[in-house]
Amino acid sequence: MEIVGKSVPRKESLDKVTGAATYTADRIEPSILHARLAVSPYAHARIVSLDASAAQNAPGVLAVLTGDASEVLVGEEIRDRPILARDRVRYYGEPVAVVVAETEAQAQWAANLVQVQYEPLPVVNSPAEALHPDAPILHERLKEYEKSEDVVSVPGTNIASIVHVIKGDIERGLAECEKIVENTVSFGPSDHAAMETRSAVVQIMPDGRVFIDTSSQAPFAVKKYMARYFGLEPGRVIVRTLFVGGAYGGKSSVQLEPIVYLASRAVGGRKVKLVNTREQDITTSPVRIGLQAKVKLGSTHDGKIKAVQIVYHFDGGAYNDKSSAIALSAASDCTGPYSVENLHCECLTVYTNHVFPAAFRGFGHTEMTFAIERGIDALADELGMDPWELRMRNAIVPGDTTPTRNMLNSSNLGDLRTCLERMRELSGWEDWKVQQLNDHTVRAKGIACFWKNSSFASNAVSGVILLFNQDGSVNLETGVVELGTGSKTVLAQMVAERLRMSVDRVHVKFKVNTLDTPEHWETVASRSTFFAGRAALKAADDASKQLIAIAATVLRADPDDLELGDEKVFVRADPRVQIPYKDICYGYRYPNGNSIGGQIIGRGHFIQRWMSPLDPATGEGQLGPEWNVGAQAVEIEMDTRDYSYRIVKAISVNDAGKVLNPKGAFGQVMGAMAMGLSYASHEGFDYTDEGILLNTTLRTYSVLRYGENPEYIVEFIESPCLDAPFGARSLGEYGLISIPAALASAVSRAAGVRMNVLPLFPETIWRAKDGGSV
């Protein structure tokens, strides 16, 4: 291969580094109106009264909308969320009103004038509190809500969804065990902290068409749900997305768009723009899910795991949206990449008075992996065994089955043991025990493994169109959103490879417009390369057939004798007989003026086969096509006087199947590793007992900063997935998934105490070490 497997600069790089790239919030038009939100200062309260008269009479204000503006309930998995709070607020920062004005300043001024009288209600601040018998019920109408088919709720409680995954006989398995350990972990919600805050622009035309410009990673989902929520014809909902400045799953939810739709409708359909401030992006829009979990592991004396019993309590926040889907995905892979005969997993998503979750890089697997990997370390301690050896002994292999009873083979499962072997070499794991560097500094290492099956809708689709230009170059059109991952560059590489042309001659359209762009389900789940790649190859093959057909006529040759190469069609046995793409891609004109053919347009589409929902009683089913794996390590140096530590090195070995763009792949994995280190060591929301969020800015919400990054070592092994384009496995999320667990392993070893609570602040370590409360 000449192009696939080579490091190709990203197609959008020049636009981004020169500032030419435009984002949704960059749109400035003289006639555009601006919206601002008034939000709740309480986490849980009854709305006694709301007076918007002062805001309505403020300069430049055209409309003020409250919960009375619409009775529509929204939400992806459970439709339980009012667009603007009605009667009650359920989280700090929940929108209670939206103001539309001529300028942003006027809208913000008026939003501050909205007067709301609240009656505070008891606050549910954690999953444990939500499940307490005396907890206030946050959704009394849970039974009435419209739900997805795979959501099983428990009305009369705060349980939004419940999932069971059962395999083998857990009681028999535990009875056969010679060592049993139990371990609990917990961490709260946190922010996605994307550089670009969320934004949306809506205009309603006189003929009923609705134009939505949004910073979404799922424009076709916005189209679908907006049509569903408001009874619109899908063909009249046109959603457009430019570049997106980071998303990490947080921009897959539909939140601002319904608010701005109501705002535009209130001002006669005029164009209205709403851009989150950083504070509102943190407090008002969806977050990463929190988790409290208990894992029981049983094994033989020699470390063979015989039984796993798991209880997950996911913090679903005030509204369900995607949280039950996240929990379902986590439960489906709950054992981690280990062979387990006997399993019982109970997974609850519960309502709390926190911001509701969106997807987050890993879609429940980072959280699930932290729980299971901390349990694996606890079992290694109990057995007195090398943690690497325990993992190697139980690593899942072809011939084993998943928790949801899917048979694994060398194509749908990556090679974990080879990843573990290479990680051992790169980390110098033979010296895994704590090293004393001086009187008060120690060095420690931690390891963890990961796997993930990319769960998605069983009817998820992707399409690609290739349009030839008169010079023989190609335009690539796809619904994949460019989030900073370089996905469209990789698609261009695939097309160039298949059409035997320079990747510089494949021109990518970055703007997605649901009116004329072929649908791509959502740019989530590390599925862009797989889904759109399959579609792109079909489109290239379609174009190839057309090129060969017209060339065969012109060259008076059998189509079976022709090949493509260097932007030409030539006779295989005599390459001197050839014709350039540019002479036939818009048809061919004979010397006498007669013409044949026309513009060559290649099309391709893809839909995944054999997906099925999980059985609600047993968890049997298949949510995705393949399980990708890897092993990671973190090395730290800790000051034992105050438990401050420096992250020295982070290592990730991923089974990539086939690395399509080496530098791009390295950047993807390294960025994900940095993200994992950041939220494991720094990130988390600070709530008061009343559910008030205290760290609402990037000054107080701590992230990994310049100078704190370690040395990153990223390597790949390549065991192809036969269903994937060129055998390539997913990468976008996989550099993150087990990094928090690996860091916790290293910190635990350095401090001499088991660390199961995130984030791993020095204070958290001190409390765990010296008997304080964590």
Side-chain angles (χ1 to χ4, degrees), residues 24-48:
T24 301
D26 292 336
R27 295 192 59 174
I28 300 174
E29 300 174 24
S31 61
I32 203 165
L33 301 177
H34 298 270
R36 276 285 182 260
L37 299 174
V39 301
S40 168
Y42 292 92
H44 194 201
R46 185 170 290 106
I47 298 175
V48 178

Side-chain angles (χ1 to χ4, degrees), residues 312 342 428 446 524 601 734:
Y312 292 137
N342 303 293
V524 298
I601 302 173
Y734 294 79

